């Protein structure tokens, strides 16, 4: 159902909307309760897993290293990132289409894209950390000191914020004169641009350039880092050392593949009004699958994390 209400704030050509309707997944809405249960379990597992990583990397002094510092920040971002959209998705699965107010929609879009962009840049920083650790091990403690780590994380937030806030403000200034049904399960910028009745060519190009700058910056740093890592690993004399080095990096590469694949398919295209249907599936990977796999992948082969987790559980049992 489309409902139009007057809004005290005028937009562009004078037409206004007070709320949008999130369409969700109408083709499979009859499976709503099953999908609700599946996504609820995935969401809770994702939050719990990432929260455990944050907790043990803070609590265990042996994990107070640059690699785990970046992983802690990344896991915290994943918790916030998935919590931005999944609760609303769960409501949609239970009751169908959901309305969201005009301001809340743009707040959600900003938080989602900002956290996603920051996470993408942080992935590049984590790649850089692995490069220094493997390719320049003797200089690693000097290069990756606490000050450098804080500066790199701050740089991720500082680079993403002005780019994303500028883009969101640009989309916010567009006119929306109908329809107001968003063909998605949350407020993302591409479907919002698609709904506008303004000339959106400059906005679409800005969105494309911002996505390209953030993803290319992250991707180039990551490719260069891992190219050097592979060369260094190949030159290691011991087969055991090679296996250990590849094991350390393989989990990181799985997360990278999922994240870059879904982000590129959603955002890196000049015409933001195209392929909105496929965006929903890619967004599900980005908001449900990747945050769920992150704690599993980063801890599956990590003996230090396993040991810290066992000791934390042992302490919890003793305290009872």
């Amino acid at each position: 159902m489309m409902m139009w209400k007057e809004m005290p704030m005028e937009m562009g050509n004078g037409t206004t909307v007070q709320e949008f309707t999130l369409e969700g997944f109408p083709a499979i809405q009859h499976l709503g309760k099953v999908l609700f249960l599946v996504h609820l379990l995935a969401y809770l597992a994702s939050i719990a897993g990432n929260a455990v990583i944050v907790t043990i990397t803070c609590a265990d002094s042996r994990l107070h290293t640059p690699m785990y510092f970046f992983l802690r920040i990344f896991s915290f971002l994943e918790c916030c990132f998935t919590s931005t959209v999944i609760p609303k998705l769960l409501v949609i699965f239970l009751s169908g289409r959901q309305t969201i107010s005009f301001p809340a929609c743009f707040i959600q879009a900003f938080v989602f894209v900002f956290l996603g962009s920051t996470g993408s840049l942080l992935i590049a920083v984590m790649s850089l950390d692995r490069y220094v650790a493997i390719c320049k091990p003797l200089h690693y403690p000097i290069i990756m000191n606490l000050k450098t780590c804080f500066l790199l994380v701050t740089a991720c937030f500082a680079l993403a914020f002005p780019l994303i806030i500028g883009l969101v403000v640009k989309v916010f200034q567009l006119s929306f004169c109908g329809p107001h049904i968003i063909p998605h399960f949350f407020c993302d910028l591409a479907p919002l641009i698609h709904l506008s009745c303004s000339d959106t060519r400059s906005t679409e190009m800005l969105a494309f350039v911002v996505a390209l700058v953030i993803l290319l910056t992250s991707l180039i740093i990551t490719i260069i880092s891992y190219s050097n890592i592979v060369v260094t690993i190949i030159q290691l004399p011991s087969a055991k050392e090679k296996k250990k080095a590849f094991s350390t990096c393989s989990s990181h590469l799985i997360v990278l593949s999922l994240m870059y694949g879904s982000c590129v398919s959603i955002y890196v295209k000049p015409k933001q009004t195209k392929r909105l249907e496929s965006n929903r599936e890619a967004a599900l990977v980005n908001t449900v699958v990747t945050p769920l796999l992150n704690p599993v992948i980063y801890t599956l082969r990590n003996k230090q994390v396993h040991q810290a987790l066992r000791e934390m559980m042992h302490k919890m049992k003793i305290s009872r």
Side-chain angles (χ1 to χ4, degrees):
M1 179 184 292
M2 298 186 185
M3 299 176 62
W4 295 94
K5 301 178 183 179
E6 292 301 320
M7 191 175 178
M9 177 179 59
E10 291 201 351
M11 306 282 298
N13 61 5
T15 56
T16 61
V17 295
Q18 192 173 31
E19 62 184 24
F20 293 105
T21 300
L22 299 171
E23 188 178 44
F25 296 88
I28 54 173
Q29 188 57 47
H30 60 285
L31 301 172
K33 291 182 179 179
V34 175
L35 293 170
F36 168 82
L37 183 60
V38 170
H39 286 79
L40 175 62
L41 291 174
Y43 173 63
L44 293 176
S46 171
I47 294 296
N50 282 292
V52 165
I53 289 179
V54 172
T55 303
I56 61 176
T57 54
C58 284
D60 197 308
S61 59
R62 291 167 299 182
L63 302 182
H64 291 175
T65 64
M67 183 177 81
Y68 293 110
F69 171 75
F70 295 131
L71 180 57
R72 185 189 315 150
I73 302 297
F74 185 67
S75 294
F76 175 74
L77 283 177
E78 290 286 75
C79 286
C80 299
F81 179 72
T82 191
S83 296
T84 304
V85 297
I86 299 304
K88 195 72 174 177
L89 174 63
L90 294 175
V91 176
I92 289 173
F93 281 141
L94 277 184
S95 53
R97 293 179 177 181
Q98 288 295 308
T99 57
I100 183 170
S101 69
F102 189 90
C105 185
F106 276 89
I107 290 171
Q108 185 186 53
F110 167 74
V111 173
F112 175 80
V113 181
F114 172 63
L115 292 176
S117 300
T118 305
S120 177
L121 294 170
L122 189 58
I123 282 280
V125 169
M126 293 167 74
S127 302
L128 193 62
D129 172 69
R130 291 299 83 209
Y131 159 73
V132 178
I134 293 172
C135 300
K136 299 182 182 296
L138 297 178
H139 299 94
Y140 182 68
I142 300 171
I143 296 173
M144 285 295 177
N145 55 54
L146 188 61
K147 182 180 178 181
T148 303
C149 292
F150 274 111
L151 285 174
L152 287 170
V153 170
T154 303
C156 292
F157 284 91
L159 178 59
F161 183 80
L163 291 173
I164 302 307
I165 194 69
L167 176 58
V168 172
V169 168
K170 180 77 171 173
V171 178
F172 184 81
Q173 291 172 341
L174 296 173
S175 297
F176 297 90
C177 46
H180 72 306
I181 296 178
I182 298 176
H184 214 313
F185 60 90
F186 68 95
C187 290
D188 200 4
L189 295 179
L192 283 171
I193 292 171
H194 176 63
L195 287 181
S196 175
C197 52
S198 304
D199 183 353
T200 60
R201 285 175 295 181
S202 62
T203 308
E204 288 169 11
M205 187 51 63
L206 178 62
F208 173 70
V209 170
V210 168
L212 205 60
V213 167
I214 291 173
L215 286 174
L216 269 186
T217 299
S218 178
L219 191 58
I220 288 171
I221 293 172
T222 302
I223 290 173
I224 292 173
S225 297
Y226 274 97
S227 297
N228 283 280
I229 287 171
V230 169
V231 171
T232 302
I233 291 174
I234 291 172
Q235 293 174 348
L236 290 174
S238 169
K240 187 178 180 180
E241 288 179 337
K242 288 181 182 180
K243 185 179 179 181
K244 183 180 178 181
F246 272 121
S247 177
T248 303
C249 299
S250 60
S251 58
H252 194 184
L253 289 171
I254 295 171
V255 175
L256 285 173
S257 301
L258 285 171
M259 190 201 73
Y260 284 124
S262 58
C263 287
V264 168
S265 67
I266 296 171
Y267 298 109
V268 184
K269 50 193 177 189
K271 192 68 175 175
Q272 288 292 318
T273 58
K274 299 293 175 101
R275 298 190 296 171
L276 290 178
E277 289 295 327
S278 63
N279 281 3
R280 294 186 226 193
E281 287 70 28
L284 270 180
V285 173
N286 208 20
T287 57
V288 179
V289 180
T290 305
L292 176 62
L293 291 180
N294 173 43
V296 177
I297 288 171
Y298 277 104
T299 60
L300 194 61
R301 299 178 182 176
N302 196 309
K303 292 180 181 178
Q304 285 180 300
V305 174
H306 285 176
Q307 186 177 352
L309 187 57
R310 280 195 299 268
E311 289 179 4
M312 185 177 75
M313 293 176 69
H314 182 65
K315 288 178 182 177
M316 289 174 64
K317 287 180 181 178
I318 293 174
S319 63
R320 288 179 183 177

